[in-house]
Amino acid sequence: MTNPVRAVDLKLRLTLRVAAVAAVCFVAVAAYALFDSDRSARAKASRIAEIVARDLSLQQSQARWLSVSTSATPDLQRVAALMEPGLCIAYRDNSGAFLQGVCSGAPADDISAPESFASIYRAILRPGEPVSMPVLVDGTARGVAVATFDAAAQIGRSWREVSRLLAIMAFALVGLCIAVYAALARALRPTQAIEAGLQRLAANDLSARLPRFDLAELSAISDVFNTLAQRLQATLAERSALTRKLVEVQDEERQRLARELHDEFGQSLTAIAAQAASAAHTAERECPPLLEECRGISRTTAGLMETLRGALVRLRPPDIDELGLALSLQSLVASWNGYGKGRTRFDITVIGEIDDLPPAICANLYRVAQEAITNAAKHAQASCVQLHIEAKATDIVLTVEDDGKAGSNPEPKTGMGLLGMQERVISLGGTLRFEPRPTGGTRLVVNIPHAGAAP
């Protein structure tokens, strides 16, 4: 058994995806800023080293022209004003021996970078590498000018820039998410109308239609929905008409069968009963041993006639137009109480004016109640069957419940009786459902609107 997939709000999902893409872009911008900062630091160090090398070359050239002692030169203090915080310059001879050097301290407001950031920065960019430039005098190298940025100062400067940039990007990301979510909420607002239309369609409101939307995709959905609803409405109307016609044909067939049973089978049973009575009268005078057998034929015939009368009542109900639905149902319940002989008790409750209902509703309600009581009496093994009918302002509710054995599934197996009930209820635009009773047994609930009466 697969676990159900948890639904995620579309606006939230799209917003998170946009936020993820924007975050990746922001990280790329921050990485580019780091590499650009390191490249700028190296370029500055190279430029400073070049300036220092030229100044030292100039100092040594001037000292030779003016015959000044070389011990006074070179002097790195002349270019110290060009230095930036965290920069060190030095002068080494050709062998690499240190001759002179000047360093500027870090700024007072310098903020040290976190150790994790510093470790990553050192592993990727290798800050603090010296930049060397030869000091040339008359084309001969007299030493090397070296410029170096302090690694800690360079990392701190990069951290200040990146943290400031990340703060701006964080505010921009939040604003972007809010703007995207609001735009999506506005764009997807028509989906609420689509959901409401689907709910109306699921509730058998086939008149539901969707308006035209601004978005082409949603407009296509609206067109398909309206076409589907229109075709479904036409199909169900044709089905209802066919169902009503089928119910009418069934009733006519039952009436024809009832007439044939009454005229042919009933007359034959009457003739058999008369002949059995005559034979019993003759046997009583001339052959007394045959008297009991003649009486047995009479009893069997009487039982068949009683069964025939019950079948005729079920095939051809009483004239509901003359008796009314309430009296017809009460007569039905009374007949079942007599037929059950106390094994099952049948009760009826009538609320409202059900005799004023249209003939179509009365006839079909009687048939549904008759079939439901028959099923409960024959198959439910119930001791009590209750029939409840109520005429409300907008609909009629028929309930038949029993205290029999429903099992785990209260809905009975599909048979001709159940199909007949469903056909009659559908022909009137109503609903039929089975549900278990809390105390045991089954409850059949039929709901028919007044508007469903017109064929």
Side-chain angles (χ1 to χ4, degrees):
M1 181 177 180
T2 58
N3 295 326
V5 179
R6 183 179 179 183
V8 181
D9 184 69
L10 179 60
K11 301 185 292 298
L12 179 60
R13 176 178 294 181
L14 294 179
T15 301
L16 291 177
R17 292 186 177 181
V18 172
V21 174
V24 171
C25 295
F26 289 163
V27 171
V29 171
Y32 175 80
L34 284 178
F35 281 97
D36 185 68
S37 175
D38 181 75
R39 183 174 56 82
S40 298
R42 293 179 185 274
K44 288 180 181 180
S46 179
R47 187 169 59 254
I48 294 296
E50 183 179 0
I51 293 174
V52 171
R54 289 180 180 179
D55 185 72
L56 291 177
S57 298
L58 180 61
Q59 290 183 37
Q60 293 191 12
S61 298
Q62 289 176 349
R64 189 181 62 179
W65 294 338
L66 299 176
S67 301
V68 178
S69 174
T70 57
S71 61
T73 59
D75 185 9
L76 294 179
Q77 295 296 331
R78 293 175 53 176
V79 295
L82 301 176
M83 296 177 61
E84 294 185 6
L87 179 65
C88 292
I89 57 177
Y91 175 51
R92 300 177 183 274
D93 58 14
N94 290 330
S95 63
F98 178 78
L99 299 178
Q100 191 178 7
V102 177
C103 289
S104 63
D109 59 345
D110 190 15
I111 301 175
S112 60
E115 185 60 30
S116 58
F117 178 82
S119 300
I120 296 175
Y121 194 94
R122 288 192 182 94
I124 298 177
L125 300 177
R126 297 189 301 275
E129 292 186 350
V131 178
S132 302
M133 289 290 178
V135 179
L136 301 177
V137 179
D138 295 334
T140 304
R142 296 296 181 85
V144 177
V146 180
T148 307
F149 270 106
D150 180 66
Q154 184 178 349
I155 293 174
R157 187 182 301 110
S158 299
W159 169 251
R160 287 196 303 272
E161 294 177 0
V162 170
S163 60
R164 188 182 305 113
L165 181 62
L166 289 178
I168 295 174
M169 290 180 177
F171 283 108
L173 183 61
V174 173
L176 177 64
C177 291
I178 295 175
V180 169
Y181 189 88
L184 290 174
R186 182 178 181 83
L188 296 177
R189 191 175 300 168
T191 57
Q192 299 177 358
I194 296 176
E195 181 182 3
L198 291 174
Q199 291 178 351
R200 290 178 58 188
L201 197 63
N204 294 328
D205 184 4
L206 303 183
S207 63
R209 297 293 185 272
L210 294 180
R212 297 282 299 178
F213 300 114
D214 296 335
L215 295 178
E217 295 79 4
L218 297 182
S219 293
I221 294 176
S222 175
D223 294 339
V224 174
F225 177 90
N226 293 337
T227 302
L228 178 62
Q230 184 176 3
R231 291 181 179 177
L232 184 60
Q233 188 176 21
T235 301
L236 290 183
E238 294 175 359
R239 177 188 174 187
S240 297
L242 182 61
T243 303
R244 286 192 293 269
K245 185 63 178 177
L246 179 61
V247 170
E248 292 176 1
V249 171
Q250 289 177 346
D251 289 341
E252 292 176 358
E253 182 64 20
R254 287 184 176 184
Q255 292 179 1
R256 185 187 64 81
L257 181 59
R259 286 195 300 268
E260 291 181 357
L261 288 176
H262 179 272
D263 296 340
E264 297 179 8
F265 194 66
Q267 295 297 331
S268 298
L269 287 178
T270 303
I272 292 174
Q275 291 176 0
S278 176
H281 183 69
T282 303
E284 184 179 5
R285 288 185 292 102
E286 299 180 2
C287 187
L290 294 178
L291 179 60
E292 187 62 30
E293 294 182 6
C294 294
R295 291 177 178 175
I297 294 175
S298 297
R299 289 193 295 270
T300 302
T301 305
L304 288 175
M305 294 184 69
E306 182 67 24
T307 303
L308 177 61
R309 279 193 291 269
L312 291 177
V313 170
R314 289 189 292 273
L315 288 173
R316 185 175 60 189
D319 193 349
I320 300 178
D321 294 337
E322 296 181 1
L323 300 179
L325 178 59
L327 187 57
S328 299
L329 291 176
Q330 291 173 0
S331 176
L332 175 66
V333 170
S335 64
W336 272 105
N337 278 322
Y339 180 79
K341 298 179 180 180
R343 293 188 300 270
T344 303
R345 187 180 75 257
F346 297 86
D347 297 326
I348 181 172
T349 303
V350 178
I351 300 177
E353 295 295 332
I354 64 173
D355 291 334
D356 297 335
L357 298 175
I361 290 184
C362 291
N364 285 284
L365 278 177
Y366 181 88
R367 285 297 190 185
V368 171
Q370 183 186 41
E371 186 63 36
I373 291 178
T374 302
N375 290 337
K378 291 184 176 181
H379 306 298
Q381 301 179 10
S383 60
C384 179
V385 178
Q386 296 178 343
L387 172 64
H388 179 92
I389 183 169
E390 179 178 3
K392 298 182 180 180
T394 58
D395 55 4
I396 305 100
V397 180
L398 171 67
T399 304
V400 179
E401 56 184 18
D402 60 75
D403 58 355
K405 298 179 180 179
S408 58
N409 184 13
E411 186 168 353
K413 296 182 180 180
T414 302
M416 295 303 297
L418 179 59
L419 290 177
M421 289 191 293
Q422 291 176 340
E423 290 172 355
R424 293 181 183 275
V425 173
I426 291 175
S427 68
L428 299 176
T431 59
L432 179 148
R433 70 179 186 274
F434 288 90
E435 57 187 30
R437 295 180 63 204
T439 57
T442 306
R443 178 185 295 112
L444 168 68
V445 180
V446 175
N447 189 291
I448 296 177
H450 284 299

